[in-house]
Amino acid sequence: MSTVLITGANRGIGLEFVKQYARDGWKVHACCRNPDKASELNTVQGDVFIHALDVTDHAAIVSLASDLAEPIDILVVNAGVGGRGEGDFGDYNYDVWKSVLDVNVYGSVATAEAFAPHVKNAKGKIAFISSKMGSIGDASGGAIAYRTSKTALNMAGKVVAAALAGEGVAVSIFHPGWVETDMGGPNALIKPDESVKGLRALIDQSPVTPSPRLLAYDGAEIPW
Ligand code: NDP
């Protein structure tokens, strides 16, 4: 049986990853901040183990990694926040900016770092869920906290890929599309099932390389 661990698993894209892998018979470690409030996650049928994890709590990440002494075939680093309240130029809110970096960059890298030994044991794969809003080529202004967090995540993902390529671990970095979730909103272009179906296919094919590309859920390459 294959094993996957997903962060931010209680709603949105993370929850859809849980549903699809569980449906396909995987063992799923579903991590979320408040398992007691994760009503939909708690109803997912299958081999699903729910863990409390706030990715800004470094000690909690390390502790969970120590508790789960088993190979992990796929690690989906998905938890993320938008930049609500970040402000506009002339009125930036630096506390909000730092909190966005804390989740999207440091939380993501700390998760990958803590679970890298488990993924190495499986010769597995790590997928960072980033955004094309972090692409410098895409930037059209605004959203400074969110955009810079994903730009930094893209670079961090490449650094992690280079660190793990020699160990046989494939690290990939994805834009999930504009997806109808709490973050993506009601006008989004695709539903979570389409995004995650595409992402899973790409994760399966992801190569061991020190230099991954930024790919959208449909395989389109996005400029850094
Ligand atoms: P949602 O807002 O629907 O879900 C975000 C998830 O991240 C929730 O499970 C949330 O948990 C979790 N999360 C937030 N902060 C933390 C934290 N500190 N520790 C652990 N979990 C946390 O967003 P999406 O599902 O749409 O987004 C998933 C990923 O996809 C994100 O990284 C996002 O940036 C990216 N993305 C999404 C796009 C879209 O159109 N939807 C487009 C491009 C990228 P909680 O319920 O506790 O807040």
Side-chain angles (χ1 to χ4, degrees):
M1 180 191 285
S2 300
T3 301
V4 60
L5 186 144
I6 300 152
T7 62
N10 57 304
R11 57 190 170 99
I13 294 168
L15 177 63
E16 181 65 25
F17 269 111
V18 174
K19 288 179 181 170
Q20 293 195 17
Y21 280 115
R23 181 199 64 204
D24 291 351
W26 285 56
K27 179 175 182 182
V28 180
H29 291 296
C31 303
C32 62
R33 286 197 278 197
N34 295 300
D36 293 346
K37 294 183 183 159
S39 49
E40 198 174 345
L41 175 60
N42 277 289
T43 67
V44 178
Q45 299 294 307
D47 209 6
V48 179
F49 299 83
I50 301 175
H51 308 280
L53 186 67
D54 183 327
V55 300
T56 63
D57 184 343
H58 202 151
I61 298 173
V62 171
S63 168
L64 181 62
S66 157
D67 289 348
L68 297 181
E70 61 184 272
I72 291 176
D73 299 280
I74 295 180
L75 173 66
V76 183
V77 183
N78 165 76
V81 287
R84 182 173 303 191
E86 65 196 346
D88 295 316
F89 185 71
D91 190 27
Y92 287 140
N93 184 322
Y94 290 88
D95 289 331
V96 170
W97 194 344
K98 285 178 195 167
S99 69
V100 173
L101 294 175
D102 210 11
V103 178
N104 294 2
V105 186
Y106 313 129
S108 294
V109 176
T111 301
E113 208 178 11
F115 287 99
H118 308 63
V119 181
K120 275 186 218 170
N121 283 340
K123 289 264 183 269
K125 298 169 185 292
I126 297 176
F128 288 104
I129 307 302
S130 185
S131 170
K132 76 171 190 169
M133 285 184 71
S135 164
I136 291 172
D138 174 76
S140 53
I144 195 166
Y146 186 69
R147 283 187 189 279
T148 57
S149 76
K150 293 300 191 178
T151 308
L153 178 60
N154 292 345
M155 178 59 85
K158 282 198 80 166
V159 172
V160 171
L164 292 176
E167 313 270 1
V169 172
V171 176
S172 47
I173 308 165
F174 295 112
H175 168 60
W178 184 13
V179 189
E180 195 180 313
T181 62
D182 293 338
M183 186 185 289
N187 299 323
L189 297 177
I190 57 171
K191 305 270 189 201
D193 61 340
E194 184 179 353
S195 171
V196 170
K197 193 171 163 217
L199 291 169
R200 288 182 59 201
L202 293 170
I203 293 169
D204 285 347
Q205 299 160 13
S206 61
V208 176
T209 171
S211 196
R213 298 172 298 147
L214 175 60
L215 297 180
Y217 74 101
D218 58 0
E221 184 168 1
I222 295 170
W224 294 114

